[in-house]
Each structure stands twice: as C-alpha cells, then as structure tokens.
C-alpha cells in the first residue's frame, strides 16, 4: 500500500452495497490504468495508513483509517473526485435480491391466469413449491388467490428471493460510494455518505 500511496495523487475510502464479483472485476479491469482498489482486511489497511497522527504514514493518512469499518475498500487513483465518482456511477448494476435483503417495493399478484401469463405450464410445480397457490388450468398457470409476493421494507426469505427472480423483479443494486477523499497534499474531504458511515460506526460502538 505504501508505494502506491506515494504514487497516487488521490486516495479514497469507498463503501459498497450488494457486492457482485463480476461487476467489481470489470470495474477494476477498465480502471486499471488510472486506479487501484484494495478490498481486504480493514485492520491490515489501517495499520498501513496509521491509526493516529503519531503513527500515520503521511499527513492525514490516519484520517482515512477511521472509515475502514464494515463493507469498504481503499482506492488509489489519478482521477480527481468528480471524475472518479462519474466512473463509479458507470458500473452500478441492478441485480436480483438475495435472501435477507430488504424489499424495495411491494409485489402483488391478482388471482386468476393473467398474473402468470406467459410462463410455461411446466413451471407450475416450481411456483407451488415456492409458496404460490397455483394449479394448471387448460395448460395455463392459475393463481387461486391474491398474493403479496413481498411488501415494501420487509426482509426477503429464500422463497421470496427465488420468486422475485422468476418474476423478473430486480431489487438489488451494486453501488460504490466515496466516503472520504484525501489529496496528495493531505487535504481531507468527507462526503455526505462518509458522515452517515461514521455515525453508524459510532452507534455500533455505543
């Protein structure tokens, strides 16, 4: 980390949500000429940067360490913050939610054959196994009653996540947000996300 730190005019701590290895590897590949990303053990990175002004690697490098908690990564770049954030935005990817994630909207299915119209009749047992009250009606999948597949802001079960994927609802998004930026001269700039992140850390430690 030390050598790259000295070479890079900009250092960032990023938070990530709904990490997907595919999009992240693509991001690393396409930005490899301008930026390097370190995703690993936060405590190791904290030791490299320093935890206080007494042991920091360079001026204010220890200021980055206090953000290295939770789902974060360290980035070194030739790009200034505006360019860097614009590049990160290009790699935001919508995906299907997984078990334990929160529903971002309500999905309701009305009884009858219209709700599952277009699905092959061979999928009827799958829908039934995942909790939908279905039967075959002249080679069409019929829903026997109204069903809420999920409701806004509720945690998704395994079955709900599988149903949402079958139904084509993407409720997850891979995002990277800048928490804090350090310039080569040591100037620190915290983002609004950085403030929220520090508040969460403080709340966890209280």
């Amino acid at each position: 980390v030390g050598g790259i730190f000295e070479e890079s005019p900009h250092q960032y701590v990023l938070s990530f949500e709904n990490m997907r290895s595919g999009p992240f590897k693509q991001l690393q590949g396409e930005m490899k000429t301008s930026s390097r990303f370190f995703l690993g053990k936060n405590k190791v990175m904290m030791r490299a940067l320093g935890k206080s002004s007494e042991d920091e690697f360079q001026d204010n490098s220890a200021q980055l360490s206090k953000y290295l908690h939770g789902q974060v990564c360290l980035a070194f770049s030739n790009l200034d913050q505006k360019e860097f954030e614009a590049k990160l935005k290009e790699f935001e990817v919508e995906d299907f939610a997984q078990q334990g994630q929160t529903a971002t909207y309500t999905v309701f299915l009305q009884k009858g054959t219209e709700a599952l119209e277009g699905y092959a009749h061979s999928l009827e047992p799958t829908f039934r196994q995942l909790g939908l009250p279905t039967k075959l009606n002249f080679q069409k999948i019929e829903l026997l009653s109204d069903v809420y597949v999920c409701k806004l802001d509720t945690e998704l079960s395994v079955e709900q996540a599988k149903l949402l994927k079958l139904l084509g609802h993407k409720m997850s998004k891979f995002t990277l947000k800048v928490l804090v930026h350090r310039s080569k001269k040591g100037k620190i700039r915290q983002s609004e996300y950085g403030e929220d992140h520090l508040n969460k850390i403080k709340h966890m430690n209280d």
Side-chain angles (χ1 to χ4, degrees):
V1 170
I4 298 170
F5 195 105
E6 291 180 328
E7 294 168 9
S8 303
H10 303 279
Q11 300 93 38
Y12 302 93
V13 178
L14 314 173
S15 67
F16 56 84
E17 290 186 17
N18 308 311
M19 173 59 81
R20 297 291 187 270
S21 59
F24 187 65
K25 284 180 180 177
Q26 186 183 0
L27 169 72
Q28 288 178 302
E30 293 200 21
M31 293 184 70
K32 65 182 179 182
T33 57
S34 67
S35 309
R36 292 281 299 277
F37 296 85
F38 289 84
L39 180 64
K41 295 180 179 178
N42 292 339
K43 288 183 179 179
V44 174
M45 293 190 287
M46 287 169 72
R47 280 200 296 271
L49 297 174
K51 295 183 180 181
S52 68
S53 56
E54 285 77 29
D55 66 355
E56 62 186 7
F57 178 69
Q58 285 191 3
D59 288 347
N60 285 332
S61 65
Q63 291 294 312
L64 302 179
S65 291
K66 64 184 181 181
Y67 296 87
L68 292 172
H69 297 269
Q71 295 185 313
V72 296
C73 69
L74 196 57
F76 301 94
S77 182
N78 297 327
L79 305 177
D80 64 31
Q81 188 168 346
K82 187 176 180 180
E83 294 173 308
F84 188 72
E85 288 183 319
K87 202 68 182 171
L88 294 181
K89 191 83 175 169
E90 293 177 18
F91 290 89
E92 290 186 355
V93 178
E94 289 189 341
D95 202 350
F96 296 107
Q98 298 177 341
Q99 175 197 5
Q101 290 183 235
T102 302
T104 55
Y105 54 88
T106 296
V107 176
F108 172 78
L109 300 178
Q110 192 169 13
K111 72 175 184 177
T113 56
E114 287 187 13
L116 300 174
E117 193 174 14
Y119 289 91
H121 63 84
S122 58
L123 281 173
E124 190 275 329
T126 303
F127 281 120
R128 192 158 19 93
Q129 287 166 9
L130 293 174
L132 293 188
T134 60
K135 72 170 186 178
L136 277 180
N137 185 350
F138 295 103
Q139 301 298 301
K140 288 185 177 182
I141 303 174
E142 181 180 355
L143 199 59
L144 300 176
S145 61
D146 293 344
V147 173
Y148 282 96
V149 176
C150 65
K151 292 186 178 181
L152 174 68
D153 291 336
T154 57
E155 189 175 301
L156 298 174
S157 67
V158 175
E159 292 78 16
Q160 286 173 310
K162 288 180 178 178
L163 275 172
L164 290 171
K165 187 172 183 178
L166 274 173
L167 296 169
H169 291 279
K170 293 184 176 182
M171 291 192 177
S172 180
K173 196 174 194 178
F174 166 60
T175 58
L176 284 162
K177 303 289 187 186
V178 171
L179 299 178
V180 63
H181 165 239
R182 180 191 177 277
S183 68
K184 195 163 183 77
K185 293 181 179 179
K187 186 177 179 181
I188 295 290
R189 183 181 178 188
Q190 176 184 261
S191 73
E192 58 183 297
Y193 304 108
E195 185 177 357
D196 291 342
H197 186 71
L198 291 183
N199 287 336
K200 286 178 185 176
I201 295 169
K202 184 180 178 183
H203 180 71
M204 287 171 63
N205 292 333
D206 285 344

